[in-house]
Amino acid sequence: GNVLDAYGFVNVVSPSGLPMRGIVGIWPDPVMFIAINTPDMAASRAFYQQLGFVEQEYPYARPSKGAGQFEPAQPPKSVYLAPARNSMGVLLLPTKSKKTKVTPNPVLRSLNIVYTPSESDDAAELQLQDPQNVGISFVSTGKFEKQLETSKVMASKQ
Protein backbone atom coordinates (compact mmCIF):
# COMPACT_ATOMS: atom_id res chain seq x y z
CA GLY A 1 0.00 0.00 0.00
CA ASN A 2 0.82 3.66 -0.08
CA VAL A 3 1.10 5.39 3.31
CA LEU A 4 -0.18 8.95 2.89
CA ASP A 5 0.58 10.12 6.43
CA ALA A 6 0.97 8.66 9.89
CA TYR A 7 0.84 10.27 13.31
CA GLY A 8 -1.30 8.37 15.81
CA PHE A 9 -3.47 7.23 12.92
CA VAL A 10 -2.35 6.05 9.51
CA ASN A 11 -3.97 7.00 6.21
CA VAL A 12 -3.22 4.35 3.60
CA VAL A 13 -4.35 3.52 0.08
CA SER A 14 -4.30 -0.25 -0.35
CA PRO A 15 -2.59 -1.83 -3.39
CA SER A 16 -6.06 -2.34 -4.89
CA GLY A 17 -6.97 1.35 -4.45
CA LEU A 18 -9.16 1.26 -1.33
CA PRO A 19 -8.45 4.17 1.05
CA MET A 20 -8.21 3.12 4.70
CA ARG A 21 -7.45 4.74 8.05
CA GLY A 22 -5.82 2.74 10.80
CA ILE A 23 -5.92 4.14 14.32
CA VAL A 24 -3.31 3.03 16.82
CA GLY A 25 -5.44 2.06 19.81
CA ILE A 26 -4.39 0.98 23.26
CA TRP A 27 -5.08 -2.69 22.39
CA PRO A 28 -5.59 -4.57 19.14
CA ASP A 29 -8.89 -3.40 17.70
CA PRO A 30 -11.02 -4.99 15.02
CA VAL A 31 -12.32 -3.01 12.06
CA MET A 32 -14.68 -0.49 13.66
CA PHE A 33 -16.71 0.80 10.71
CA ILE A 34 -16.90 1.44 7.00
CA ALA A 35 -17.42 5.10 6.07
CA ILE A 36 -19.95 5.80 3.32
CA ASN A 37 -20.47 9.20 1.68
CA THR A 38 -24.13 10.04 1.16
CA PRO A 39 -25.99 13.01 -0.32
CA ASP A 40 -29.24 11.83 1.36
CA MET A 41 -28.70 11.07 5.05
CA ALA A 42 -32.40 10.34 5.68
CA ALA A 43 -32.61 7.69 2.93
CA SER A 44 -29.31 6.09 3.97
CA ARG A 45 -30.23 6.04 7.64
CA ALA A 46 -33.65 4.52 6.86
CA PHE A 47 -32.05 1.83 4.65
CA TYR A 48 -29.63 0.65 7.34
CA GLN A 49 -32.30 0.86 10.04
CA GLN A 50 -34.48 -1.49 7.95
CA LEU A 51 -31.56 -3.96 8.10
CA GLY A 52 -31.59 -3.80 11.92
CA PHE A 53 -28.83 -1.21 12.38
CA VAL A 54 -29.47 1.36 15.11
CA GLU A 55 -27.77 4.64 15.88
CA GLN A 56 -24.92 4.05 18.32
CA GLU A 57 -22.29 6.12 20.06
CA TYR A 58 -19.38 6.78 17.69
CA PRO A 59 -16.61 4.22 18.40
CA TYR A 60 -13.17 5.35 19.45
CA ALA A 61 -9.98 3.29 19.80
CA ARG A 62 -8.60 5.37 22.69
CA PRO A 63 -10.09 6.54 26.00
CA SER A 64 -9.70 10.23 25.02
CA LYS A 65 -12.67 9.78 22.61
CA GLY A 66 -11.19 11.93 19.84
CA ALA A 67 -10.05 14.74 22.14
CA GLY A 68 -6.35 13.89 21.85
CA GLN A 69 -3.88 14.30 19.03
CA PHE A 70 -3.76 10.61 18.11
CA GLU A 71 -7.35 10.05 17.04
CA PRO A 72 -9.68 12.31 15.06
CA ALA A 73 -13.05 13.33 16.46
CA GLN A 74 -16.29 12.14 14.85
CA PRO A 75 -16.82 13.96 11.56
CA PRO A 76 -19.43 16.75 11.79
CA LYS A 77 -23.04 15.74 10.98
CA SER A 78 -22.04 12.09 10.52
CA VAL A 79 -24.16 9.24 11.89
CA TYR A 80 -22.81 5.93 13.17
CA LEU A 81 -25.13 2.90 12.92
CA ALA A 82 -24.43 -0.71 13.89
CA PRO A 83 -26.47 -3.85 14.49
CA ALA A 84 -25.13 -4.10 18.07
CA ARG A 85 -23.04 -1.99 20.44
CA ASN A 86 -19.91 -4.15 20.09
CA SER A 87 -20.03 -4.89 16.36
CA MET A 88 -18.72 -3.22 13.23
CA GLY A 89 -21.03 -0.60 11.75
CA VAL A 90 -21.37 2.05 9.08
CA LEU A 91 -20.47 5.71 9.41
CA LEU A 92 -22.67 7.80 7.15
CA LEU A 93 -20.89 10.96 6.02
CA PRO A 94 -22.99 13.72 4.45
CA THR A 95 -21.75 15.22 1.20
CA LYS A 96 -21.54 19.00 0.93
CA SER A 97 -24.40 19.06 -1.56
CA LYS A 98 -27.42 16.81 -2.07
CA LYS A 99 -26.66 17.00 -5.80
CA THR A 100 -23.26 15.34 -5.34
CA LYS A 101 -23.08 12.04 -7.21
CA VAL A 102 -21.41 9.38 -5.08
CA THR A 103 -19.57 6.62 -6.93
CA PRO A 104 -18.64 3.64 -4.76
CA ASN A 105 -15.02 2.52 -4.89
CA PRO A 106 -15.01 -0.49 -7.26
CA VAL A 107 -12.59 -2.32 -4.95
CA LEU A 108 -15.40 -2.72 -2.41
CA ARG A 109 -17.65 -5.29 -4.07
CA SER A 110 -19.98 -5.58 -1.09
CA LEU A 111 -20.34 -5.14 2.62
CA ASN A 112 -20.88 -8.73 3.80
CA ILE A 113 -23.16 -9.23 6.78
CA VAL A 114 -22.85 -12.64 8.43
CA TYR A 115 -26.07 -13.93 9.99
CA THR A 116 -27.35 -17.04 11.74
CA PRO A 117 -30.35 -18.35 9.80
CA SER A 118 -33.44 -19.56 11.63
CA GLU A 119 -34.20 -23.28 11.56
CA SER A 120 -36.83 -22.74 8.85
CA ASP A 121 -34.49 -20.60 6.72
CA ASP A 122 -32.70 -22.31 3.84
CA ALA A 123 -29.71 -19.95 4.33
CA ALA A 124 -30.30 -18.28 0.98
CA GLU A 125 -27.98 -15.43 0.14
CA LEU A 126 -29.56 -12.02 -0.19
CA GLN A 127 -27.93 -9.17 -2.07
CA LEU A 128 -29.06 -5.54 -1.93
CA GLN A 129 -27.69 -2.12 -2.77
CA ASP A 130 -27.85 0.83 -0.40
CA PRO A 131 -28.89 4.29 -1.67
CA GLN A 132 -25.26 4.98 -2.74
CA ASN A 133 -25.08 1.68 -4.70
CA VAL A 134 -22.83 0.01 -2.14
CA GLY A 135 -23.48 -3.72 -2.41
CA ILE A 136 -24.78 -5.45 0.72
CA SER A 137 -24.57 -9.27 0.90
CA PHE A 138 -25.99 -11.49 3.62
CA VAL A 139 -23.91 -14.63 4.17
CA SER A 140 -24.99 -17.43 6.52
CA THR A 141 -22.63 -18.41 9.34
CA GLY A 142 -22.24 -21.87 7.76
CA LYS A 143 -21.09 -20.47 4.43
CA PHE A 144 -18.86 -17.93 6.17
CA GLU A 145 -17.16 -20.67 8.23
CA LYS A 146 -16.53 -22.70 5.06
CA GLN A 147 -15.00 -19.63 3.37
CA LEU A 148 -12.87 -19.03 6.45
CA GLU A 149 -11.59 -22.62 6.46
CA THR A 150 -10.81 -22.41 2.74
CA SER A 151 -8.85 -19.20 3.25
CA LYS A 152 -6.88 -20.79 6.12
CA VAL A 153 -5.97 -23.76 3.91
CA MET A 154 -4.91 -21.42 1.09
CA ALA A 155 -2.81 -19.30 3.47
CA SER A 156 -1.05 -22.35 4.91
CA LYS A 157 -0.06 -23.48 1.40
CA GLN A 158 1.67 -20.18 0.65
Side-chain angles (χ1 to χ4, degrees), residues 1 18 49 76 82 84 88 95 98 109 137:
L18 186 66
Q49 286 174 333
M88 184 186 132
T95 57
K98 285 196 173 216
R109 288 183 283 186
S137 296

Side-chain angles (χ1 to χ4, degrees), residues 7 17 32 59-60 62-63 65 69 72-73 78 93 107 114-115 125 143 148:
Y7 184 76
M32 293 162 49
Y60 288 100
R62 299 176 150 269
K65 295 191 176 248
Q69 61 186 356
S78 65
L93 300 166
V107 173
V114 179
Y115 74 100
E125 283 194 44
K143 183 170 183 180
L148 191 59

Side-chain angles (χ1 to χ4, degrees), residues 5-12 20-33 58-75 91:
D5 54 46
Y7 184 76
F9 52 95
V10 183
N11 289 308
V12 178
M20 295 183 283
R21 173 176 285 167
I23 298 170
V24 180
I26 56 174
W27 56 80
D29 293 311
V31 174
M32 293 162 49
F33 56 79
Y58 181 79
Y60 288 100
R62 299 176 150 269
S64 63
K65 295 191 176 248
Q69 61 186 356
F70 299 113
E71 184 172 21
Q74 179 175 0
L91 178 67

Side-chain angles (χ1 to χ4, degrees), residues 37-41 76-77 93-102:
N37 293 315
T38 177
D40 190 341
M41 287 292 280
K77 299 181 183 175
L93 300 166
T95 57
K96 291 183 180 176
S97 166
K98 285 196 173 216
K99 295 178 182 177
T100 302
K101 180 168 171 41
V102 176

Side-chain angles (χ1 to χ4, degrees), residues 1 4 6 33 47 54 76 81 107 110 120:
L4 303 175
F33 56 79
F47 174 84
V54 293
L81 299 125
V107 173
S110 72
S120 63

